[in-house]
Amino acid sequence: EAGVTQSPTHLIKTRGQQATLRCSPISGHTSVYWYQQALGLGLQFLLWYDEGEERNRGNFPPRFSGRQFPNYSSELNVNALELEDSALYLCASSNPRQGVQPQHFGDGTRLSIL
Amino acid sequence: GESVGLHLPTLSVQEGDNSIINCAYSNSASDYFIWYKQESGKGPQFIIDIRSNMDKRQGQRVTVLLNKTVKHLSLQIAATQPGDSAVYFCAENPITGNQFYFGTGTSLTVIP
């Protein structure tokens, strides 16, 4: 079974630019979660998508947005990039129809803002 | 939001010793907890989980203990090996769907 895959592995942008990060969940998983992990810190919840709809979002400004496609893959978009957006962005997936269960993570996209 | 915290941000142990990583959670209504391991350059990897109707669960070389009275979770690793060096996170599900809240992590270093 293929795990959660994220692309690109690394992304370098400059202030003010826009970034798009992609995530493919495990086959059969309908929920995708996005987290931000700044260097040396824990995971901050960003967004949760399920069945194509946004179910919840964390305490982040509106320039962090995303969407989920019919095949359950997802994009995270960050507009007007700021230096403090430099972090590892992790995507996780699960199938909530099987009850509360662990989220399975990809290896993340390292976003660096110059 | 919820708060899940760890008592010790760093932990160093000798190879072969047992390790204990602690976690405090704030929501007494939480009913499901997970420990994750994150190695350098990788995403968090599921280790073991426990539901609130249990107080202990064992896996291969790992044991999770749950004390609901004091809202405390611990991860015990037996015979710690160099490959166990990583950051360990606890995560809490406060019965609000499948959303989890993560602690800041404990960095475990195994000394050969």
Side-chain angles (χ1 to χ4, degrees), chain A:
Chain A
E1 174 185 87
V4 176
T5 58
Q6 293 186 245
S7 64
T9 305
H10 295 90
L11 190 57
I12 299 174
K13 295 285 186 177
T14 57
R15 289 177 61 189
Q17 285 188 315
Q18 183 259 352
T20 298
L21 288 63
R22 296 179 176 84
C23 171
S24 292
I26 290 173
S27 177
H29 287 187
T30 61
S31 275
V32 169
Y33 311 82
W34 288 95
Y35 295 88
Q36 181 194 66
Q37 186 177 31
L39 189 63
L41 297 180
L43 281 68
Q44 301 297 316
F45 169 71
L46 268 165
L47 290 160
W48 170 21
Y49 291 96
D50 183 65
E51 295 284 2
E53 294 189 8
E54 182 180 303
R55 299 298 183 182
N56 199 9
R57 67 179 291 130
N59 188 25
F60 281 84
R63 58 191 186 83
F64 287 84
S65 65
R67 56 180 172 167
Q68 186 179 34
F69 299 99
N71 66 353
Y72 304 117
S73 67
S74 177
E75 278 183 359
L76 173 68
N77 296 291
V78 188
N79 294 319
L81 286 164
E82 300 178 3
L83 293 176
E84 54 264 34
D85 297 333
S86 293
L88 180 68
Y89 289 84
L90 291 162
C91 172
S93 74
S94 73
N95 184 352
R97 276 113 198 114
Q98 296 178 350
V100 177
Q101 56 177 260
Q103 296 176 4
H104 298 268
F105 285 83
D107 286 336
T109 292
R110 173 71 63 185
L111 177 61
S112 299
I113 312 303
L114 303 178

Side-chain angles (χ1 to χ4, degrees), chain B residues 2 56 80:
Chain B
E2 303 298 332
K56 180 180 180 179
T80 313

Side-chain angles (χ1 to χ4, degrees), chain B residues 5-107:
Chain B
L6 296 174
H7 291 304
L8 295 173
T10 61
L11 178 66
S12 295
V13 299
Q14 292 287 339
E15 182 178 357
D17 287 351
N18 296 333
S19 302
I20 299 177
I21 301 171
N22 296 303
C23 175
Y25 63 94
S26 60
N27 191 332
S28 57
S30 292
D31 75 336
Y32 182 53
F33 304 87
I34 298 176
W35 280 100
Y36 285 92
K37 171 186 180 183
Q38 186 176 24
E39 297 176 274
S40 180
K42 295 189 176 182
Q45 179 182 19
F46 170 84
I47 302 174
I48 191 168
D49 58 0
I50 189 167
R51 299 194 184 270
S52 59
N53 60 352
M54 304 173 68
D55 53 19
K56 180 180 180 179
R57 189 162 189 224
Q58 289 184 291
Q60 186 176 15
R61 282 201 307 118
V62 294
T63 300
V64 55
L65 299 178
L66 175 62
N67 186 330
K68 295 180 288 293
T69 302
V70 295
K71 292 185 287 186
H72 184 266
L73 194 70
S74 69
L75 176 70
Q76 299 178 0
I77 304 174
T80 313
Q81 302 169 0
D84 295 327
S85 293
V87 176
Y88 291 81
F89 294 94
C90 66
E92 164 190 20
N93 176 258
I95 324 179
T96 53
N98 207 43
Q99 186 171 325
F100 285 84
Y101 296 93
F102 289 78
T104 53
T106 291
S107 178

